[in-house]
Amino acid sequence: MPRTIALYAAAVCVAFGMTFGWAGPAEAQLRAPNVSGQVKLAGPSAGDLPFWLTSNRRGTVGRSGANAIVRAGAHVPFEREGAFDYALGAELVGRAADRSAFYAHELYASLRAGPVELTVGRQEETFGFADRALSLGSTTWSRHATPMPKVALAVPDYTSVPGTDGFVAARGYIAHGWFESDRVVENAYLHQKNLYLRALPERWPVQAHAGFQHNVMWGGTGRASDLEAFWSIFRAETFGDGEREGIGRGGSLGNMVVSYDFAVTAQAFGLSLRAYWQYHFEEKGSELFRSMFDGLYGVALRSDRSDRLVSGLVYEHLRTLRQNAKTDPDPDRSSIVGTWGRSDFHNHNFYDSGWTYHGRTIGIPLLVTDVDAPNIAADISGRPIANNRVIGHHLGLEGQLPLKIRYRVFLTYSRNFGTVRNELDDLRQFSGALELQRALWRQYGIEGVAQVSVDRGAVFEDQVGLMMGISWSGAL
């Protein structure tokens, strides 16, 4: 708690100090923030809320029983292109539920000089090429968990590589973050970096993209956390047995969660198309595509007009079966499952709380904990992720109906095989949702939203849930 308070204090001091210290006399004043508020009520027909009422909501909605949620925020976005500028953000969330909470969901300060941004604090973030509104989410860093406090340095937008006239562009990110203290290994750190390259400029009708995301949970009570350890995890160095204390699977120091991201984008006739593949692995040995079919495959089609009946369409296929398996599929087992590797995605042999933050899966939410899916027996090792071998299909759809009612539809079907220590017999699950949203008093920025969700299958309890809410946004 003290380090989190210190981080937030630093965020405010950096923003105000740099703004008033570096800005000219005419600019040495804070801009008026954009403010927002939201009230939502959610409830199930019985028991827990369905999958799509709690998933990819940044941890704001509790799984168990009815929820009443209040959010209030103020944000000052970047304004000046290509010049020194600042951005600030704060949002508070209060939740009355089986697990009630009141916390700072966002609290950050950002400084920008040219293409480079420095951010201190807790901020909602999304990485990779998956569609941000309709996707299941990234396999490594989705929209499922609460934002994590970090210090981050980034070039967030593609910037032309000198001498290429925009035909090659790059963007990147590096951050140091802090996990919550209430874990098996307390006070663990996050090392996070990514780098993306784009071939062919935006003015062309087609572009190709490639990059990686490298995340490591490291340090913490009883674990190496000095500069030598940081340099080892930064380089993804591997060690032999007995060379260093706290070596995890694959010989890596820390809990490594990595993806290679590839995409092709095209634009024509008022439409944009994106095809993407995210190859996921969590130990050395898989970096050369040993389990190349593990990951997320997707296609997203969007119109440049949001008022069309269908303005966005996404299909995704998730597959996480092989997990660093070193042999071909075993003919004596199911041709779908084959031989299983032992990576045990999102679990770890030293960091026993796994790839979670405040009890939520940080990666794609179909890799569920036994708390989220009580129908699945808990992993006998005591690790939190009870199901990480999944074949999933997902369809997302959005557009505008008559009377200017915007809608989103989520349809998700999965086959679930448990973990290497907790094998399940092909449990099948369907989860769906319909969300409707409409401006009620446009001149005041007031909107209403309603969502109905349903679960049917063997992973979650058969359930129907309803969420209704009202939101307001505008400038002071």
Side-chain angles (χ1 to χ4, degrees):
M1 182 63 70
R3 68 184 179 187
T4 303
I5 295 173
L7 182 67
Y8 291 156
V12 175
C13 290
V14 167
F16 281 79
M18 292 296 190
T19 300
F20 290 106
W22 289 10
E27 298 176 345
Q29 56 183 344
L30 288 175
R31 300 190 292 268
N34 299 321
V35 295
S36 61
Q38 185 181 92
V39 177
K40 285 186 176 181
L41 301 175
S45 54
D48 294 337
L49 290 171
F51 176 80
W52 276 116
L53 279 185
T54 61
S55 296
N56 286 341
R57 296 182 182 273
R58 309 281 186 181
T60 57
V61 181
R63 176 75 174 167
S64 179
N67 281 236
I69 303 154
V70 178
R71 304 176 67 166
H75 295 81
V76 179
F78 289 118
E79 261 188 9
R80 296 185 286 272
E81 292 291 336
F84 180 81
D85 200 4
Y86 69 92
L88 301 170
E91 184 179 28
L92 300 178
V93 171
R95 179 177 69 237
D98 183 56
R99 296 184 62 185
S100 297
F102 179 73
Y103 62 97
H105 181 74
E106 286 191 304
L107 185 59
Y108 66 88
S110 298
L111 299 171
R112 182 169 68 188
V116 181
E117 294 180 10
L118 172 67
T119 300
V120 179
R122 185 196 297 264
Q123 182 184 27
E124 291 186 356
E125 296 174 301
T126 303
F127 302 111
F129 300 119
D131 188 273
R132 298 192 177 191
L134 300 176
S135 170
L136 281 169
S138 164
T139 62
T140 61
W141 197 270
S142 73
R143 307 180 305 280
H144 191 53
T146 305
M148 190 179 299
K150 305 179 192 175
V151 176
L153 188 67
V155 178
D157 300 318
Y158 278 122
T159 302
S160 178
V161 174
T164 67
D165 192 28
F167 277 79
V168 180
R171 58 185 172 92
Y173 177 97
I174 186 168
H176 177 79
W178 291 264
F179 284 87
E180 75 276 31
S181 59
D182 185 18
R183 303 175 66 88
V184 176
V185 177
E186 298 178 350
N187 302 317
Y189 299 137
L190 170 72
H191 170 68
Q192 186 175 41
K193 60 178 176 287
N194 61 57
L195 177 65
Y196 292 96
L197 298 176
R198 186 194 69 205
L200 305 179
E202 286 186 324
R203 63 181 182 271
W204 282 38
V206 179
Q207 299 82 32
H209 312 255
F212 70 87
Q213 298 182 48
H214 180 221
N215 307 277
V216 185
M217 182 188 302
W218 69 289
T221 303
R223 303 287 184 263
S225 56
D226 53 17
L227 287 177
E228 182 182 0
F230 171 79
W231 184 236
S232 294
I233 62 102
F234 180 87
R235 296 181 297 163
E237 187 177 4
T238 57
F239 300 90
D241 292 341
E243 283 191 63
R244 289 208 61 162
E245 183 182 357
I247 301 303
R249 58 180 177 239
S252 298
L253 186 64
N255 180 11
M256 181 176 71
V257 180
V258 185
S259 69
Y260 297 157
D261 297 353
F262 306 93
V264 175
T265 53
Q267 308 83 35
F269 309 111
L271 298 173
S272 60
L273 176 69
R274 177 183 301 171
Y276 49 93
W277 170 38
Q278 185 175 43
Y279 169 63
H280 183 92
F281 63 97
E282 298 191 7
E283 64 179 286
K284 298 298 286 286
S286 289
E287 73 271 25
L288 298 179
F289 301 96
R290 174 181 285 166
S291 302
M292 67 175 299
F293 296 111
D294 283 348
L296 182 71
Y297 305 78
V299 178
L301 181 64
R302 286 198 165 274
S303 170
D304 59 3
R305 288 182 52 186
S306 61
D307 60 349
R308 291 186 180 275
L309 179 62
V310 179
S311 59
L313 175 65
V314 170
Y315 167 74
E316 292 180 328
H317 172 58
L318 175 69
R319 196 175 187 90
T320 61
L321 296 181
R322 296 281 285 161
Q323 300 197 20
N324 202 33
K326 299 179 181 179
T327 60
D328 292 332
D330 186 343
D332 295 329
R333 299 198 60 177
S334 163
S335 60
I336 293 176
V337 177
T339 300
W340 289 2
R342 305 189 67 82
S343 284
D344 202 9
F345 285 174
H346 291 7
N347 286 321
H348 195 263
N349 56 332
F350 281 103
Y351 291 89
D352 299 83
S353 297
W355 192 238
T356 66
Y357 186 60
H358 286 294
R360 305 275 183 151
T361 303
I362 298 173
I364 207 159
L366 283 182
L367 277 60
V368 297
T369 67
D370 56 342
V371 175
D372 287 334
N375 284 358
I376 297 178
D379 190 313
I380 59 174
S381 66
R383 295 172 185 173
I385 306 300
N387 179 53
N388 57 26
R389 299 182 184 276
V390 179
I391 298 174
H393 300 272
H394 170 72
L395 183 68
L397 189 71
E398 71 177 0
Q400 183 168 293
L401 300 170
L403 303 179
K404 296 184 179 180
I405 298 173
R406 300 189 301 278
Y407 74 89
R408 290 196 300 172
V409 173
F410 299 103
L411 303 171
T412 306
Y413 172 76
S414 63
R415 303 177 64 179
N416 303 273
F417 300 91
T419 72
V420 67
R421 297 173 180 81
N422 183 38
E423 296 189 20
L424 303 176
D425 188 21
D426 193 2
L427 302 184
R428 305 194 178 202
Q429 177 67 41
F430 169 78
S431 297
L434 169 64
E435 179 185 275
L436 301 176
Q437 189 170 0
R438 189 182 189 278
L440 301 179
W441 292 279
R442 192 178 301 275
Q443 65 270 34
Y444 300 112
I446 297 176
E447 294 189 340
V449 62
Q451 179 175 319
V452 59
S453 298
V454 60
D455 284 340
R456 288 291 183 271
V459 175
F460 307 116
E461 297 287 347
D462 288 351
Q463 194 66 266
V464 177
L466 178 66
M467 177 181 285
M468 301 186 70
I470 190 167
S471 62
W472 173 80
S473 63
L476 285 180

